[in-house]
Amino acid sequence: MLWKICIVCSIGTAVLAAAGYPVLKKRSKIHGLYYILGTTAVALLFMHFPFIWQEFEGNGNRFFKTLFVSINNTIGVFTIDSGYENFFQAVNELPGRWFSVYQGWAAILFLLAPCLTLGILLSFAKTLRMWFRYLVSCSKEEYIFSELNERSVLLAQSLAKNKNDRKILFANVDFEDLNQEKMIAEVKGFGGLLFSRGIAELSLKKESKTKSLTFFLMGEEQSVLEQSIQLVKKYGKRKNTTLYMFADSKESELLVSSMDTEQMDMVIHRVDAANAFVMRYLYENGHEVFAGADMNGSIRCAVIGLGKVGRELVKNLSWYGQMPGYSIQISGYDAEQNTLDALYGQCPELLDDRYNGTFIEGGEAEYKISLHLLKSLTSELAAKQAAESDPTIVYIDMGKDACTIEMAEAVRRELLRLGQKPMIAAVVRDSDKNRLLQDLHNWKNQYYEISFMGSDESIYNEDSILHSRLEKEAMDLHLRYCDLNDADDRLKQERMFWRYEYNYRSSLASAIHRKARKECGIPGTDKPAEQRTEEEKKNIRIMEHKRWNAYIRSIGYCYAEQRNDLAQTHHFLVPFDKLPLKEQIKDDI
């Protein structure tokens, strides 16, 4: 009877383990080789138990002796000393049917066990070789990625291409995931190192203090936050250390601002991908917004799809369009009420009828934002709705490349039928698709004139993330606004720039608009403040205050008699002519 129970338990262990593997794989990182090895060991233990139980018949502590010897024999199966002769001799004494089942199942396990041992040894040798390559490398720069994904590989490729002696590491790599095979090959191709350990588990603390470490946390947001806390604890006081957090939640913003950077040498950068893309677009290609304006300087933007990128476009175009000689209207379209509600919640006063579409004399921001809830976000319906505003430029981001491409083509078709030919800019993230679509035309060589932007390749590269010209100009502006007495003050203000989102984003917006002023030929923009005429000074001051008013509302601030940044209220959210003189001349830098 014991033989029957044990063979059922042995086979049942294998069946349950196979059924449970997909579930466990999703919930936690399981190494498949070790998982199979453990399952095989338990199955073999059940197989040995009745055979050893017979040998200890009549002995005291029979169960524990049987268990101990069974474990010992099981371990032996994974080595050369398997003891299979004695085992199969005992199996031969079983009745016919059970003999066949037991012998067949045992043969499978006895063959599988040493193969697993060999696999473990090869895996260990592979890991050992990887660590050896890591230790002998003499690079002064190390770049460590928290996980292997398409975007992290793109950024790593850019780093390797620009300087081939950099050491690039990937943590948390699942070598058994077939979906990662191509990426693993790409990383090996440019000399990257791959480790299965988590990023916080890698032993990097003993590195030379002169060697720079740069961490990139990219992946699921909660994992990024947890890893950032672990890395700050481990490397926070290490010099020449930078941490890039790719996260867009309010939690991540508050987490970065709560870290005491004055007690740390590590520099932390939070990367909000949607905002970073829109800011970079306005900095590099924002002139398209003004170039498409009609003869009266009217800019009419249609934003189809109010996901993260769409919402960022609506908010940031409101202040970007504050330019003398131009007026801006922004129409947003989506089929989900919660996306519209998100905008109302994020920037209530920007959409308040007291300011939105109300043009007040005396230097108040001037813009018109209208949000439209569609029954469904089909291309024909969206195009017809957008056509009602006679757009000068149309932005499209449906969240999925296939849907965005289909929408862009349909919108171009529908608008042409209505006699409208605005510029269309569509967000297509797949780099290969983005490149192929740039000169899109039909069989009669008619060009669609659709600009495809936002490819991952254009965003996840060294110039955009590590050496952004926009961030450098924004930092310079931030420091010019501060009263700096010495190098310590400068270092403190540089840390304040990265630590607080308010400082970072407001400086970016100011740098972007200054560049746009030059491109629009605003008189006096290209002169130092002291060389401007009084008229130039006044016009630039009013324009800057209009921009600031729209910007500060776009990030959620409202007017109140007292400034309270925790409540996001500000007493200078008033027309320019109601500002104190000191505040009117504040932006002459």
Side-chain angles (χ1 to χ4, degrees):
M1 184 64 181
L2 183 60
W3 291 87
K4 296 178 182 179
I5 293 172
C6 287
I7 184 64
V8 170
C9 289
S10 180
I11 296 174
T13 298
V15 172
L16 289 173
Y21 180 74
V23 178
L24 292 172
K25 184 74 173 176
K26 288 182 179 179
R27 294 184 178 180
S28 61
K29 186 175 175 62
I30 297 175
H31 195 295
L33 190 60
Y34 293 117
Y35 185 80
I36 297 171
L37 185 141
T39 302
T40 304
V42 174
L44 278 166
L45 184 63
F46 279 117
M47 296 291 283
H48 278 103
F49 195 87
F51 164 55
I52 306 300
W53 180 263
Q54 277 187 339
E55 293 185 2
F56 286 106
E57 187 174 356
N59 287 8
N61 295 322
R62 184 182 183 187
F63 175 80
F64 293 104
K65 289 179 179 179
T66 301
L67 182 62
F68 175 78
V69 175
S70 297
I71 292 172
N72 183 65
N73 286 5
T74 297
I75 294 172
V77 176
F78 288 91
T79 66
I80 300 174
D81 182 24
S82 64
Y84 66 89
E85 298 94 344
N86 294 335
F87 180 84
F88 282 105
Q89 186 178 352
V91 170
N92 286 335
E93 298 175 4
L94 291 175
R97 184 173 57 184
W98 289 103
F99 162 75
S100 300
V101 175
Y102 222 90
Q103 188 179 54
W105 180 239
I108 293 172
L109 296 177
F110 271 71
L111 287 172
L112 179 61
C115 293
L116 291 170
T117 302
L118 179 61
I120 295 293
L121 291 174
L122 290 174
S123 177
F124 177 75
K126 191 180 193 180
T127 303
L128 196 63
R129 177 174 170 270
M130 197 71 70
W131 277 110
F132 178 76
R133 284 182 58 201
Y134 171 76
L135 293 172
V136 298
S137 173
C138 299
S139 173
K140 290 290 184 182
E141 300 176 14
E142 289 190 20
Y143 300 87
I144 306 100
F145 292 83
S146 63
E147 69 174 56
L148 185 68
N149 57 50
E150 292 179 357
R151 290 172 176 175
S152 65
V153 171
L154 282 173
L155 180 51
Q157 284 175 328
S158 172
L159 292 167
K161 182 180 179 181
N162 292 342
K163 199 171 181 182
N164 58 17
D165 64 341
R166 288 167 166 169
K167 191 187 293 184
I168 300 173
L169 289 74
F170 285 84
N172 202 36
V173 178
D174 186 352
F175 293 96
E176 298 177 3
D177 187 349
L178 297 178
N179 295 324
Q180 292 194 352
E181 280 186 352
K182 181 181 177 182
M183 291 184 286
I184 288 173
E186 289 175 346
V187 172
K188 289 180 178 179
F190 60 75
L193 302 173
L194 301 138
F195 298 94
S196 57
R197 292 185 184 180
I199 193 168
E201 298 169 5
L202 295 175
S203 302
L204 307 171
K205 202 168 185 178
K206 294 181 181 179
E207 291 287 353
S208 166
K209 292 181 180 179
T210 60
K211 180 176 288 189
S212 69
L213 294 182
T214 305
F215 295 97
F216 300 97
L217 303 184
M218 307 170 71
E220 193 271 325
E221 177 119 356
Q222 199 56 42
S223 176
V224 166
L225 299 184
E226 292 171 0
Q227 290 169 341
S228 67
I229 294 171
Q230 293 171 347
L231 291 175
V232 168
K233 287 180 179 178
K234 193 171 182 179
Y235 301 100
K237 294 185 180 297
R238 188 188 186 280
K239 294 181 179 179
N240 301 316
T241 307
T242 307
L243 172 66
Y244 287 87
M245 287 174 54
F246 289 76
D248 57 14
S249 66
K250 177 59 70 173
E251 181 184 6
S252 64
E253 178 187 337
L254 296 176
L255 184 64
V256 172
S257 65
S258 68
M259 293 177 180
D260 190 355
T261 53
E262 293 184 12
Q263 301 300 318
M264 290 170 29
D265 288 303
M266 174 188 278
V267 178
I268 303 174
H269 298 195
R270 188 178 79 100
V271 182
D272 179 340
N275 179 264
F277 161 64
V278 171
M279 289 292 203
R280 185 166 173 265
Y281 163 75
L282 293 176
Y283 179 73
E284 296 182 353
N285 302 100
H287 56 84
E288 296 171 346
V289 175
F290 299 105
D294 66 16
M295 297 294 291
N296 298 317
S298 176
I299 301 168
R300 297 177 295 279
C301 304
V303 182
I304 300 176
L306 296 177
K308 290 179 180 179
V309 169
R311 292 198 296 271
E312 289 295 330
L313 279 166
V314 170
K315 291 189 290 185
N316 290 299
L317 285 168
S318 66
W319 57 261
Y320 187 74
Q322 301 303 308
M323 197 72 69
Y326 296 91
S327 62
I328 187 163
Q329 299 176 42
I330 306 163
S331 302
Y333 304 89
D334 205 284
E336 298 291 336
Q337 180 65 50
N338 60 350
T339 60
L340 275 64
D341 293 341
L343 265 172
Y344 284 108
Q346 290 169 3
C347 41
E349 201 163 277
L350 184 72
L351 298 168
D352 193 309
D353 289 341
R354 290 175 296 172
Y355 311 100
N356 180 20
T358 304
F359 302 102
I360 304 170
E361 293 293 330
E364 176 61 276
E366 299 177 358
Y367 58 87
K368 172 62 178 175
I369 300 174
S370 56
L371 302 180
H372 305 269
L373 181 65
L374 306 180
K375 292 181 180 179
S376 62
L377 204 54
T378 60
S379 53
E380 288 76 13
L381 181 59
K384 288 175 181 177
Q385 285 285 319
E388 293 182 7
S389 64
D390 189 17
T392 57
I393 187 167
V394 180
Y395 296 99
I396 302 171
D397 182 17
M398 304 297 292
K400 295 182 179 179
D401 287 350
C403 297
T404 299
I405 294 167
E406 180 182 346
M407 178 68 79
E409 186 275 336
V411 168
R412 170 60 77 208
R413 181 181 66 246
E414 294 296 323
L415 291 179
L416 282 173
R417 289 174 179 174
L418 296 169
Q420 299 177 7
K421 196 178 180 181
M423 175 186 167
I424 296 177
V427 178
V428 174
R429 294 169 176 81
D430 185 285
S431 302
D432 293 330
K433 291 179 182 178
N434 198 299
R435 276 193 297 270
L436 289 169
L437 291 167
Q438 287 305 324
D439 295 317
L440 187 63
H441 57 274
N442 67 3
W443 60 285
K444 281 202 169 182
N445 213 32
Q446 294 173 296
Y447 284 84
Y448 286 85
E449 296 184 36
I450 299 172
S451 172
F452 292 95
M453 59 182 188
S455 70
D456 285 341
E457 191 175 60
S458 68
I459 297 171
Y460 295 90
N461 62 68
E462 183 175 0
D463 290 339
S464 298
I465 303 297
L466 278 75
H467 306 303
S468 166
R469 285 185 300 142
L470 170 56
E471 288 183 346
K472 183 180 182 303
E473 290 183 21
M475 172 69 84
D476 291 341
L477 275 175
H478 172 72
L479 295 176
R480 284 161 65 185
Y481 270 112
C482 301
D483 185 16
L484 303 179
N485 297 317
D486 52 33
D488 288 340
D489 280 350
R490 181 184 177 89
L491 178 60
K492 180 180 178 180
Q493 287 302 328
E494 285 179 353
R495 291 181 178 276
M496 295 285 280
F497 173 81
W498 294 115
R499 181 177 180 181
Y500 294 106
E501 200 77 9
Y502 181 90
N503 296 333
Y504 175 76
R505 290 199 179 184
S506 61
S507 299
L508 288 183
S510 183
I512 290 167
H513 203 262
R514 285 168 187 268
K515 182 171 182 284
R517 296 174 201 172
K518 292 180 181 179
E519 291 171 344
C520 289
I522 302 302
T525 300
D526 54 351
K527 300 179 185 177
E530 61 274 12
Q531 295 181 14
R532 294 169 186 160
T533 66
E534 288 303 312
E535 183 180 3
E536 288 172 344
K537 286 181 181 179
K538 182 178 179 181
N539 290 338
I540 289 175
R541 289 168 183 169
I542 293 173
M543 172 184 57
E544 171 56 20
H545 183 66
K546 286 183 174 182
R547 180 207 68 82
W548 181 86
N549 267 16
Y551 168 76
I552 208 75
R553 289 193 179 109
S554 76
I555 63 172
Y557 274 72
C558 300
Y559 171 77
E561 293 183 1
Q562 296 292 327
R563 177 175 180 175
N564 186 327
D565 290 288
L566 196 60
Q568 289 194 305
T569 59
H570 209 297
H571 55 300
F572 289 147
L573 271 171
V574 295
F576 178 80
D577 58 9
K578 292 187 179 180
L579 288 174
L581 179 61
K582 180 181 177 181
E583 293 301 321
Q584 290 183 351
I585 65 174
K586 184 178 179 180
D587 295 307
D588 286 349
I589 62 171

